[in-house]
Structures are given as structure tokens and as C-alpha cells.
Amino acid sequence: MTHPHVVRHGASVPLIAVHGNGVDHRLLLALDDSLAEGGAWERTYLDLPGFGSTPALTGEGGLPHLAQWLTETTSALVGSAPFALVANSLGGLLARHLVAQFGDQVLGLALIAPVVDPDASRRTRPERTVVDRDEELLAELTDADRDEFTGMAVRQTRDSWAAFERWALPGVRAADPDAMQRLAADYALGTVPEERGPTFRGPTLVVAGRQDHVVGYEDQLRLLPHYPRASALVVDAAGHNVHLEQPAIVGAAVADWARRTHPDTQAP
């Protein structure tokens, strides 16, 4: 089995953070202060195979194989202990798969700009929009940095760039192109996670960027009937990296979710 590279912060109740496609664990480290504010969690940030410092899977390396690897890895990390999940983008789809697998062992689920349908042609997405653009900043960047940043950012400002440079860009540069190609060739799960298990009744948070042209925001709202304790937040002036572009809003929501999810404070 491919062993994961993990970074752990804190102690006590396990919380697993699952990043998306083309980045690594550092993208969700941007939320660590908010998670720490939300209670005594052992926050485990892992790199998926082919991303960051975790070697790529051998063989086909499609999404079903990634999901199976994550299921086995999560079981090895938490054993029979209750745990929570935070995930973004493709990690959001994989986290929903884990909820279907682990059921009531999952305390709560926070989804940041999650993939709902792996098939991009079936997604409901807004047109590409830029709400704020700092031309002086963009002129200072290298061509490669500018292309990576402007291809995703809705707020093309210095604070947004600083967050992108710190939390997203290192993972973008560390991704294994061959692993990404094999993943793209088999980018589907056999069944929708919500159709595989009982309704999940733990505290759930769904955050979407109003201008997210990658996964949109409307499909994310359609998840709510399957999660009766879900809160949904659609954030203006934010794209796919919503937590980097609007850190105060998203951070407050994540801290609140973490407090409500922790077993010491969880409501019945």
C-alpha cells in the first residue's frame, strides 16, 4: 500500500483533511487556525497519492482506486475512533465517499467548494468572472505564477495572491503529471456516495464560492436534502479557492462547525 505523507497538528479527537486535485495538504492548512479554535482536534492533513509528498499509486490510478486507497488509509489512521472530515474540491467527493463507508463513525463533515459531479459537462457553473484585479501586482509576477493565479482567482489582489502563493502554489508545483493524467482518464465513481449509505445526520457545512467557475455553487446546494444538519454558505467575491479569497468569512464558519461537531460540545 502507498503510505501517505501526513502533517499533524494538535491532539485528542481525530480530524482528517482531504485536499483536491492538483494541489496538496497545504491548501487546507490555511484553515488550521479556525479548526484549532473549534476545539481539541488532532488535525491530520494528508497528501493524496501523486500529490505533495505521497507517491503515486501503481497501476491504473483512477478515481475508484484513489477512493479505495483513502478508505484504507483513513481506517489505518483512526481505527475505530470517531473522527471528523474537512475536504475541498475533489476531496469533497472523496469525503462523501468516506461518510458512506464509515457511517456513524464520522462525527461531522465540512465541504469547501466540493466536487458534486465528477463529470464537468454536467455541472451547473457560472461564467468566468473577475471581481477585483490589481494590474500592478500582476505585472510583477512571473508568467508562470500569473497564469496559475489568474486561472483560478476571482479576487486578483495582493492578499489573495499571498494566500495562493503560500497555500496553493507549492502543491500545484509538486503534483505528479503522470498521476494526474491517469486520474483524469478514470475520473468517476461507480455510484453517488449519498446512494450508498443511510442519511448522514452529523453536523455538516457546505461552503461554495459564488463565482466558482470550476464546480459552481448550485450543485452544492442540491446536497442539502441528504444532510439534515447541514449549513450552507455561498460566498460572494470568491471562486474555487473560496477559503483563500474570503478567509475571515469561511474561517468563522469552519470554526463554528468544528465547535458544534466536537464530541465535548456536540448537540443531540
Side-chain angles (χ1 to χ4, degrees):
M1 179 179 171
T2 298
H3 292 287
H5 170 75
V6 302
V7 172
R8 287 190 176 90
H9 290 178
S12 193
V13 182
L15 183 150
I16 307 294
V18 187
H19 66 80
N21 194 5
V23 290
D24 67 10
H25 75 277
R26 284 168 280 200
L27 195 70
L28 288 172
L29 272 177
L31 292 170
D32 190 63
D33 287 347
S34 297
L35 292 169
E37 183 184 331
W41 295 100
E42 181 186 62
R43 286 107 52 206
T44 298
Y45 301 86
L46 57 80
D47 285 337
L48 293 170
F51 302 101
S53 297
T54 298
L57 295 176
T58 57
E60 296 181 44
L63 188 54
H65 311 96
L66 203 63
Q68 180 61 32
W69 176 90
L70 184 58
T71 298
E72 295 171 0
T73 296
T74 301
S75 182
L77 288 171
V78 304
S80 60
F83 66 100
L85 285 162
V86 176
N88 80 291
S89 194
L90 174 61
L93 175 61
L94 292 169
R96 291 161 50 218
H97 170 81
L98 291 180
V99 168
Q101 291 288 108
F102 288 89
D104 291 342
Q105 191 177 343
V106 180
L107 294 167
L109 174 68
L111 303 172
I112 313 298
V115 168
V116 175
D117 193 328
D119 187 340
S121 69
R122 296 198 296 252
R123 298 174 187 170
T124 304
R125 299 178 289 177
E127 293 184 3
R128 181 79 174 92
T129 302
V130 176
V131 301
D132 198 356
R133 183 178 176 94
D134 184 334
E135 296 291 353
E136 183 178 340
L137 163 70
L138 298 181
E140 296 170 5
L141 302 180
T142 66
D143 290 346
D145 286 354
R146 183 170 55 252
D147 289 346
E148 291 288 356
F149 179 51
T150 59
M152 192 67 70
V154 167
R155 294 185 61 251
Q156 297 174 4
T157 59
R158 289 190 183 274
D159 61 328
S160 182
W161 162 249
F164 184 85
E165 182 184 30
R166 180 179 182 185
W167 304 115
L169 198 56
V172 171
R173 290 175 171 160
D176 182 331
D178 177 67
M180 291 183 67
Q181 186 175 17
R182 288 186 286 130
L183 177 59
D186 187 9
Y187 200 68
L189 292 177
T191 57
V192 175
E194 286 76 18
E195 295 177 356
R196 294 181 48 243
T199 299
F200 179 66
R201 300 189 179 278
T204 302
L205 174 66
V206 180
V207 178
R210 181 64 176 79
Q211 288 80 24
D212 186 340
H213 69 289
V214 179
V215 300
Y217 68 92
E218 295 181 61
D219 295 342
Q220 288 67 27
L221 298 179
R222 296 188 184 105
L223 291 174
L224 299 186
H226 301 283
Y227 299 89
R229 291 195 58 198
S231 299
L233 176 64
V234 178
V235 185
D236 183 38
H240 195 49
N241 289 327
V242 55
H243 66 300
L244 302 185
E245 296 195 280
Q246 296 290 353
I249 297 171
V250 180
V254 167
D256 173 74
W257 166 83
R259 279 190 293 268
R260 290 186 293 108
T261 300
H262 199 281
D264 290 346
T265 56
Q266 192 174 57

